[in-house]
Amino acid sequence: MSVKHVVAATRVLGVLATVYRIHVALRRLETLAEEKQRRDTLTEYRRDHHRLIRRATEDPSLLPVLDAYEGELPAETQRRHLFANDLYQHALHGYRLGVLNLADLHGHLRYIFQSRAMRDYWEATRHHRASLVEDSEEAELGRMVDDLVAALDEADGEEWWVVGDAPED
């Protein structure tokens, strides 16, 4: 092979390497765009959910539509449960968007679940979580909260911020 052919082959290989790098970069950009679209859709979905819940808590005639609890609950308790659900969903949304890692989520949940009203909500919705797919992320996070709530119930309440073992990411 002549020097001319070696130089030409080297140039072709260089061009192919550049084309490959461009291809990889484009695939990465496509993946990032898809992820951004998913996150934007999730965020808009959460906004819709929040608007619906707000309407139900502001209009007493709509509140019975969301009564999926076992037994009759007073409207005030139901509104408290809906607010508790919003707090919980807000924390999950932060985790799913990457604002919180798993340890941060655990710490945030430990904070909000030190409230008796949050723990009452959690107990009232236990039957909702029973229908979750066993190995789904939501079921796993629910079990994490179950463990956390049990630990908070056993703790003396004085040092709630150290209750429960933080999960590893």
Side-chain angles (χ1 to χ4, degrees), residues 53-167:
I53 297 299
R54 186 176 56 230
R55 282 184 58 202
T57 57
E58 292 171 353
D59 183 346
S61 70
L62 298 177
L63 202 53
V65 174
L66 294 173
D67 188 353
Y69 306 100
E70 294 178 339
E72 196 76 22
L73 288 180
E76 184 177 319
T77 302
Q78 193 174 357
R79 279 193 291 274
R80 229 182 353 260
H81 284 357
L82 291 172
F83 181 73
N85 178 263
D86 265 354
L87 284 176
Y88 177 68
Q89 292 295 325
H90 182 260
L92 289 185
H93 189 63
Y95 172 69
R96 289 178 175 144
L97 291 177
V99 174
L100 302 172
N101 63 30
L102 193 56
D104 292 336
L105 174 65
H106 184 268
H108 184 70
L109 292 172
R110 179 175 45 215
Y111 167 71
I112 65 174
F113 276 96
Q114 59 89 27
S115 157
R116 172 52 45 199
M118 279 299 292
R119 295 200 305 264
D120 289 346
Y121 147 76
W122 195 251
E123 182 58 35
T125 56
R126 179 171 302 285
H127 67 284
H128 297 173
R129 291 183 303 284
S131 65
L132 295 173
V133 175
E134 179 77 19
D135 63 347
S136 69
E137 177 185 58
E138 192 164 355
E140 290 175 16
L141 293 173
R143 286 188 294 276
M144 180 181 79
V145 174
D146 287 341
D147 293 344
L148 184 57
V149 167
L152 286 165
D153 283 341
E154 292 174 9
D156 63 12
E158 301 263 335
E159 295 185 357
W160 58 264
W161 57 89
V162 295
V163 171
D165 295 323

